[in-house]
Amino acid sequence: MRPHVDQRQARVLALVRERGTARVAELAGELGISPVTLRRDVEAMAARGEIQRTHGVISRLGSDPAGVEPAGVEPGAAGTGAGTERGAAGPVIGMVVPTTEYYFADVVRGAREVVEARGARLAVGLTRYLAGEDRTQAERLLSTGADGLLLTPTWQAGTPGPGEGAWTAELPVPTVLVERWAPPGHPAASLDRVASDHADGAARAVRHLAELGHKRIALASRETPTSGRLGTGFAAAVATLGLEPAPAWPATGAASSAAAGTAAGAASLAEAEPFARTLDYLCAAVAEGGVTAALIHSDTDAIMLIPRLQARGVRVPEDLAVITYDDEVAELADVPLSAVAPAKREVGARAAGMLLDRLEDRAAGREGPRQHLDLLPRLTVRP
């Protein structure tokens, strides 16, 4: 049976007082617990003022330990390469993201490359899109020594809702928003930020389809932090190019029960009702609305939709030309799909560089203007 947390922490405290200092990894092995568990204990004990912690080392009060490894970090997510200890290098950069998979895998990779190349260390906290977890992870990283934050808040629309997100502008360290934005007048609008210009990405897709001769183009996207900007760019491009508007999106609950039953087993990436509603919408848009092309967000939804469209008599690409958005797996479809690819890796890299520059300026007593950087997505056309 595992020892009770109070007993375990008492044992840790006794060993640290006896030895003066102890390395987290070595102490975890000696106690037979995981480093993640020990870091949580260390965080709680430090918060109570029982011990000191710095980069990978804990010590009794009054000692002079050698560096701290931020807690609240996904195992394996933080950089651990040579030269990343605080005593041997620069600052610790905390990065709060919803996940390190799919879209954000490249964002994190780009940030990590720049952070480590400049002699700093990256520590990643995950939110799993849980409400309020972004603030919890940010505070946890700060409590364990992060000098600056790369922050992707859990804003369902990609931008803060009413009364949401003001805390991001009150953080005590330089902070860069990543793939999120705040409207003028919102406190978070004063932060540096780097994001993909999803509106431009949608417009690129519309322009390409229009150049191929399509006059009526549909947008199919579930509600995500990206969808609002996609809709803005899509509508602007349709108006600018003088295209005919596609049929209006169906109201919630319009999906047929038969379609919902078909979609329910498709995959865990889409709930049955939204997926079925998208399927019904595209079928009706082609059969009754004169639509001949669609921008579908995301790749995974498009790959699941295409065989179901074909099963209901909509041939792809003969009846419906498809461009997907994200370009994570579009080339892996049965017939590789053309796709719009946000510059995910570059977003992470630019955000990390912006934050490190901000920290260097602050250390030198400088304070340059805030920056809002939008990176344009790329359209990859596949035959």
Side-chain angles (χ1 to χ4, degrees):
M1 179 179 294
R2 297 175 65 183
H4 187 273
V5 62
D6 292 339
Q7 295 174 331
R8 188 174 66 230
Q9 292 181 9
R11 176 64 175 152
V12 171
L13 184 58
L15 289 172
V16 171
R17 286 175 174 171
E18 175 185 337
R19 301 173 185 176
T21 63
R23 296 195 62 81
V24 171
E26 295 171 358
L27 191 56
E30 181 178 340
L31 295 173
I33 61 177
S34 73
V36 173
T37 297
L38 182 54
R39 288 176 193 135
R40 290 172 181 159
D41 287 341
V42 166
E43 181 182 353
M45 295 166 69
R48 296 195 297 265
E50 297 172 348
I51 59 173
Q52 293 184 93
R53 74 229 187 277
T54 50
H55 211 77
V57 177
I58 53 178
S59 64
R60 64 190 177 206
L61 296 179
S63 299
D64 184 22
V68 78
E69 183 170 12
V73 175
E74 165 118 324
T80 55
T84 58
E85 296 290 333
R86 177 184 289 277
V92 174
I93 301 301
M95 186 173 194
V96 179
V97 288
T99 177
T100 54
E101 302 169 353
Y102 196 71
Y103 189 103
F104 280 96
D106 275 345
V107 177
V108 173
R109 189 175 295 115
R112 181 172 181 171
E113 289 170 354
V114 169
V115 166
E116 293 186 352
R118 292 180 59 171
R121 196 178 77 86
L122 184 71
V124 178
L126 304 183
T127 68
R128 302 295 185 190
Y129 293 101
L130 297 174
E133 187 65 17
D134 44 8
R135 186 169 189 173
T136 298
Q137 289 295 328
E139 291 173 349
R140 186 173 297 167
L141 288 166
L142 290 174
S143 74
T144 53
D147 299 287
L149 290 174
L150 301 172
L151 183 61
T152 304
T154 308
W155 295 338
Q156 294 302 313
T159 187
E164 187 179 28
W167 64 272
T168 60
E170 300 169 357
L171 291 165
V173 299
T175 299
V176 176
L177 292 179
V178 181
E179 292 291 26
R180 296 292 185 265
W181 66 282
H186 189 281
S190 64
L191 295 173
D192 291 312
R193 71 172 183 244
V194 180
S196 298
D197 191 338
H198 298 304
D200 178 84
R204 285 172 185 262
V206 172
R207 282 200 306 271
H208 176 72
L209 291 168
E211 289 167 359
L212 295 178
H214 296 283
K215 303 298 184 184
R216 184 168 290 181
I217 302 166
L219 171 65
S221 175
R222 292 181 290 115
E223 291 299 319
T224 72
T226 302
S227 57
R229 304 297 287 171
L230 286 179
T232 298
F234 180 88
V238 167
T240 298
L241 296 170
L243 302 178
E244 300 171 8
W249 190 257
T252 302
S256 68
S257 58
T262 299
S268 60
L269 293 178
E271 295 178 359
E273 183 179 344
F275 185 84
R277 190 161 62 250
T278 301
L279 180 60
D280 280 355
Y281 169 72
L282 288 175
C283 287
V286 172
E288 305 165 13
V291 167
T292 60
L295 172 62
I296 300 178
H297 177 234
S298 62
D299 298 352
T300 52
D301 277 8
I303 289 174
M304 290 188 293
L305 279 165
I306 288 171
R308 287 159 179 80
L309 287 167
Q310 293 173 333
R312 292 176 61 175
V314 178
R315 298 170 301 165
V316 177
E318 294 85 354
D319 299 325
L320 184 70
V322 169
I323 291 180
T324 72
Y325 198 88
D326 277 355
D327 204 15
E328 288 284 333
V329 293
E331 65 180 339
L332 303 180
D334 290 344
V335 176
L337 299 169
S338 297
V340 177
K344 300 177 280 285
R345 195 165 186 160
E346 188 68 13
V347 165
R350 293 291 189 93
M354 188 179 291
L355 180 57
L356 289 166
D357 289 345
R358 181 70 62 191
L359 289 170
E360 290 177 0
D361 284 349
R362 177 170 289 192
R366 300 187 298 267
E367 189 69 29
R370 295 290 187 268
Q371 301 179 65
H372 292 170
L373 178 61
D374 290 331
L375 302 185
L376 303 185
R378 179 186 67 254
L379 171 63
T380 298
V381 177
R382 298 184 174 98

